[in-house]
Amino acid sequence: MQRVNKLSWVGSKKNFLDEISVMNVGEKVVLGRFGGNSTAGQYKNEDGCLIWCDENKDWEFVIILDAHCTAESAELVISTMEKNEHRFLDVFSFPVKELFASLNDLVLDIFQSESFIEECENVQGETACLFAFRKEKYLWWFSIGDCLLLLHHPELERLGEYHQNHRSFFEWVGKESTFNKEVPSYSMGVKELRTGENHIFMTTDGLVECPNTLYSDAKYIYRMFQDVDTNAVGVRKLLEDIQSKNVLDSTTVVSWVIQNDIDATIPSDGKNTVKR
């Protein structure tokens, strides 16, 4: 029996203006939303997200979106992925050795289909979108635009590694879609999780562009999760901080922690070969 926890949302339906929302999706995943401060001039929320997770089969699939002009492009991406749910669930059941290449192919097949490109031509505006999927000890992503995927683990922190993708500007899906071009622009990758506790964090750019904060440096994001009882408390602390700093832009974050008990790759000499 399929037991998949599902949530989809677009800011055009519920904008969370001047309002913080923090909720759990399944047992691990925490979704945080803040629509921005009306006192700073905000009047709409064009973020969106889709979250599917299956505790029994031990995977999480998350998409976050940051649209502009209108939320129509975010609505289109979410509805399109939901229409293809059975195709994604089929791929999620593959062995990891072949899963991630198949997942890349599926996303590209959807975005490059004639029907999707035609639908993009009929929306107003564009959206950045970031996909992430975790199964066993691997984290996969597919990134278009400037949303961020971060990973925290003490071994990575010691070497200054947090960012898994990078903010890439002038990439979108929608009216002016990168997939309308002869060669589309996007990035993708797979990361082996380290042994122990891995904290996965995704965010739209409202968080990192908030004035009078240091969240453009990922280590300050993770400091908010130190000495808190739960992941949800850390997410709320982040959103309360940017609310107090009178942030204009909306922020959507998804945060979850994975305990990996499988040995991760280390150098053959058993030592860290990176000099700091």
Side-chain angles (χ1 to χ4, degrees), residues 139-150:
L139 176 64
W140 165 94
W141 67 90
F142 188 102
S143 180
I144 305 164
D146 59 351
C147 298
L148 283 171
L149 173 65
L150 309 176

Side-chain angles (χ1 to χ4, degrees), residues 39-87:
T39 53
Q42 186 59 277
Y43 64 95
K44 61 181 178 178
N45 186 341
E46 294 162 340
D47 284 0
C49 71
L50 179 147
I51 301 171
W52 299 339
C53 49
D54 188 326
E55 275 84 21
N56 291 333
K57 296 185 177 178
D58 192 31
W59 57 255
E60 304 84 34
F61 178 61
V62 179
I63 307 172
I64 60 171
L65 305 106
D66 186 356
H68 61 259
C69 192
T70 74
E72 291 178 8
S73 54
E75 293 168 358
L76 174 60
V77 171
I78 289 175
S79 65
T80 300
M81 299 306 146
E82 289 177 328
K83 290 175 185 175
N84 285 275
E85 178 182 346
H86 69 285
R87 299 176 69 190

Side-chain angles (χ1 to χ4, degrees), residues 80-247:
T80 300
M81 299 306 146
E82 289 177 328
K83 290 175 185 175
N84 285 275
E85 178 182 346
H86 69 285
R87 299 176 69 190
F88 281 100
L89 294 180
D90 285 346
V91 170
F92 296 164
S93 68
F94 292 177
V96 291
K97 188 173 182 178
E98 57 188 87
L99 191 161
F100 302 110
S102 298
L103 195 47
N104 289 338
D105 291 343
L106 175 56
V107 174
L108 287 171
D109 183 64
I110 292 170
F111 279 150
Q112 292 181 305
S113 67
E114 290 185 12
S115 59
F116 182 74
I117 291 173
E118 287 176 3
E119 288 184 279
C120 283
E121 292 173 353
N122 295 319
V123 301
Q124 186 176 359
E126 297 81 30
T127 186
C129 51
L130 173 61
F131 294 65
F133 177 76
R134 195 282 314 175
K135 186 173 182 179
E136 297 181 10
K137 65 169 183 174
Y138 298 101
L139 176 64
W140 165 94
W141 67 90
F142 188 102
S143 180
I144 305 164
D146 59 351
C147 298
L148 283 171
L149 173 65
L150 309 176
L151 179 63
H152 178 262
H153 184 281
E155 292 177 356
L156 300 178
E157 179 181 37
R158 188 172 67 249
L159 300 171
E161 179 186 342
Y162 300 95
H163 293 265
Q164 300 309 299
N165 70 334
H166 68 280
R167 298 183 70 191
S168 188
F169 302 105
F170 303 104
E171 290 180 0
W172 302 286
V173 174
K175 186 74 173 180
E176 291 297 329
S177 175
T178 178
F179 290 92
N180 291 347
K181 311 303 179 184
E182 186 175 6
V183 178
S185 298
Y186 58 89
S187 63
M188 56 191 180
V190 179
K191 180 74 170 182
E192 179 191 31
L193 300 181
R194 305 304 301 163
T195 304
E197 191 173 275
N198 295 261
H199 184 177
I200 304 165
F201 186 90
M202 302 169 68
T203 184
T204 57
D205 64 3
L207 177 67
V208 297
E209 293 187 350
C210 178
N212 302 311
T213 70
L214 297 172
Y215 296 136
S216 57
D217 185 337
K219 68 183 177 185
Y220 293 100
I221 294 175
Y222 281 109
R223 285 183 182 177
M224 281 296 195
F225 291 89
Q226 294 177 350
D227 302 319
V228 298
D229 294 332
T230 66
N231 185 18
V233 171
V235 169
R236 182 170 292 277
K237 283 177 62 180
L238 274 172
L239 297 181
E240 287 176 345
D241 188 44
I242 63 173
Q243 181 182 34
S244 71
K245 302 288 175 38
N246 205 32
V247 68

